[in-house]
Amino acid sequence: MDELFLQTMQNWMGIFMRRSMSKFRQYMIDNGLSMTQMTSMFLIMHSGSSSISDLAAHLDVSNAAASQLIDRLVQQDLLTRTENPSDRRNKLLELTEKGKTIVAKSMQARQGWLQELAITLDETEKKKIISALEIMNSKAEELAPSTGPICPESL
Amino acid sequence: MDELFLQTMQNWMGIFMRRSMSKFRQYMIDNGLSMTQMTSMFLIMHSGSSSISDLAAHLDVSNAAASQLIDRLVQQDLLTRTENPSDRRNKLLELTEKGKTIVAKSMQARQGWLQELAITLDETEKKKIISALEIMNSKAEELAPSTGPICPESL
DNA sequence: CCAAATAGTTAAGCGTGCTTATATATAAAC
DNA sequence: GTTTATATATAAGCACGCTTAACTATTTGG
């Protein structure tokens, strides 16, 4: 049973990853963006605004690396970098409309195939899948917390 | 129903990706290897042996880029590059034992959490999950073929 | 046998992403 | 008010991953 379970999971894993990541990688290539740049944009979008040292901490890199990375994104009109009025040592980083569009479209590139998959399923199948995924989702929450570097694939 | 399905899938996607990729990324950092290097090693392992232009084609880069990448992996004793006896213009690329170990351990880093998850599930739950995943696996096979760049996440 | 094709190598150049070091402006602490 | 701490920017350096260009050795085709 365990062997079948693991084998089935690994099959799914391969399909899932290929479907999710291939379109996403192509989107990045088409838009001349790297994984590190996309990661930064995701982080900034999720936090609403951010400072350079916040970002550096999340990415686990030096402030100088973060500053230069932000520079390149600002130059591409994907971010704005403004002075923080309550502490002028700080900068506020926010996505531009262009940046927000890029992030939204990249997520659609990554997840769009799920909609195509949903169309092929009837209600019974969907219910079975939802039920199974909910089991896995809740069990996974009980595992030891996941540690390690930030993963743009999960953002 | 569709909304619930997609929402449940996206929740799972987040968990799945974070669990799979975080340990993998940490493994790469710990071993001083990049995603492109790992991708190359996966491709070479899957094909048993490979030539530089094969690899370049799979990676969708120039032969010069592939040659230089291989150089760096050979220097780290992860690959051997030998003359092909049946066509001396060709090189044969093979993983060293050290290289095979690296690949195997990186896959374990990526998939090890599935075993932890399996332990938390009883037989009934596993059967439900297997059944649901098999639905999805077979439906996904019927979708339009996935196109785009090679995805190390799925190798 | 010779010309054309092929596979790989090397060089030079570039962008990205990182590091450490240094400098400046601002805030906090005393 | 002055010293210390903080946030960021800039410079220089490096590795990686790519590109094009030029070259060499080998194979194929006529």
Side-chain angles (χ1 to χ4, degrees):
Chain A
M1 176 56 65
D2 266 19
E3 195 54 40
L4 180 61
F5 176 76
L6 291 173
Q7 186 60 54
T8 310
M9 284 295 305
Q10 281 163 24
N11 286 347
W12 172 241
M13 193 173 177
I15 291 167
F16 191 96
M17 288 288 191
R18 192 172 302 116
R19 293 277 170 178
S20 300
M21 299 311 300
S22 188
K23 291 272 175 66
F24 179 48
R25 284 186 178 275
Q26 189 62 57
Y27 186 80
M28 288 193 291
I29 291 165
D30 293 344
N31 286 279
L33 293 165
S34 66
M35 195 64 100
T36 306
Q37 288 173 330
M38 289 300 316
T39 305
S40 302
M41 286 163 71
F42 287 145
L43 288 172
I44 290 161
M45 183 175 78
H46 286 176
S47 69
S49 70
S50 191
S51 68
I52 288 173
S53 43
D54 274 350
L55 185 68
H58 277 110
L59 294 173
D60 198 30
V61 299
S62 65
N63 288 349
S67 180
Q68 287 167 17
L69 168 65
I70 292 303
D71 229 21
R72 293 192 290 270
L73 290 172
V74 168
Q75 277 170 35
Q76 294 181 62
D77 288 315
L78 300 173
L79 284 191
T80 59
R81 174 173 41 186
T82 53
E83 180 177 271
N84 181 345
S86 56
D87 181 348
R88 286 166 64 192
R89 296 173 299 182
N90 265 3
K91 297 292 186 182
L92 290 185
L93 307 174
E94 292 187 75
L95 289 178
T96 61
E97 286 307 314
K98 183 179 170 188
K100 285 174 191 167
T101 300
I102 291 273
V103 168
K105 285 188 175 171
S106 76
M107 292 184 78
Q108 177 59 24
R110 202 187 331 170
Q111 297 177 357
W113 73 279
L114 293 179
Q115 283 152 343
E116 291 167 39
L117 182 65
I119 287 164
T120 68
L121 301 166
D122 64 38
E123 300 303 299
T124 305
E125 288 169 330
K126 282 178 191 160
K127 281 181 181 160
K128 287 185 70 172
I129 291 162
I130 287 165
S131 175
L133 291 183
E134 279 171 351
I135 294 171
M136 289 198 285
N137 287 350
S138 64
K139 295 291 188 175
E141 304 263 7
E142 292 169 24
L143 294 180
S146 173
T147 60
I150 198 88
C151 297
E153 295 91 348
S154 66
L155 297 173
Chain B
M1 175 55 64
D2 266 17
E3 195 55 40
L4 180 61
F5 175 76
L6 290 173
Q7 186 58 55
T8 309
M9 285 294 307
Q10 281 163 22
N11 285 345
W12 173 242
M13 192 172 179
I15 291 167
F16 191 94
M17 289 288 190
R18 192 171 302 115
R19 293 276 171 178
S20 301
M21 300 310 301
S22 187
K23 290 273 174 68
F24 179 49
R25 282 185 179 275
Q26 189 62 57
Y27 186 77
M28 288 193 295
I29 290 165
D30 293 344
N31 287 279
L33 293 165
S34 66
M35 196 63 101
T36 306
Q37 290 173 330
M38 290 301 314
T39 306
S40 301
M41 286 162 70
F42 287 145
L43 288 173
I44 289 160
M45 186 177 78
H46 287 175
S47 67
S49 71
S50 191
S51 67
I52 287 173
S53 41
D54 275 350
L55 185 68
H58 276 111
L59 293 175
D60 198 30
V61 298
S62 66
N63 289 349
S67 180
Q68 287 167 16
L69 168 66
I70 292 304
D71 228 21
R72 292 191 292 269
L73 290 172
V74 167
Q75 276 170 36
Q76 294 184 60
D77 287 316
L78 299 173
L79 286 190
T80 59
R81 172 172 44 185
T82 53
E83 180 176 272
N84 182 344
S86 57
D87 180 348
R88 287 166 61 193
R89 294 173 298 182
N90 266 2
K91 298 291 187 182
L92 290 184
L93 307 174
E94 293 185 71
L95 289 178
T96 60
E97 285 308 313
K98 182 180 173 186
K100 285 175 192 167
T101 301
I102 291 273
V103 168
K105 285 188 175 173
S106 76
M107 291 183 79
Q108 177 58 26
R110 200 185 333 168
Q111 296 180 355
W113 74 279
L114 294 178
Q115 282 151 343
E116 291 167 40
L117 182 65
I119 287 163
T120 68
L121 301 166
D122 64 38
E123 299 303 299
T124 305
E125 288 169 329
K126 282 177 191 163
K127 280 180 181 162
K128 287 185 68 171
I129 291 162
I130 287 166
S131 175
L133 291 183
E134 279 172 349
I135 294 170
M136 288 199 284
N137 287 351
S138 64
K139 295 291 187 179
E141 302 263 5
E142 293 169 24
L143 293 182
S146 174
T147 59
I150 200 88
C151 298
E153 297 90 347
S154 66
L155 297 171

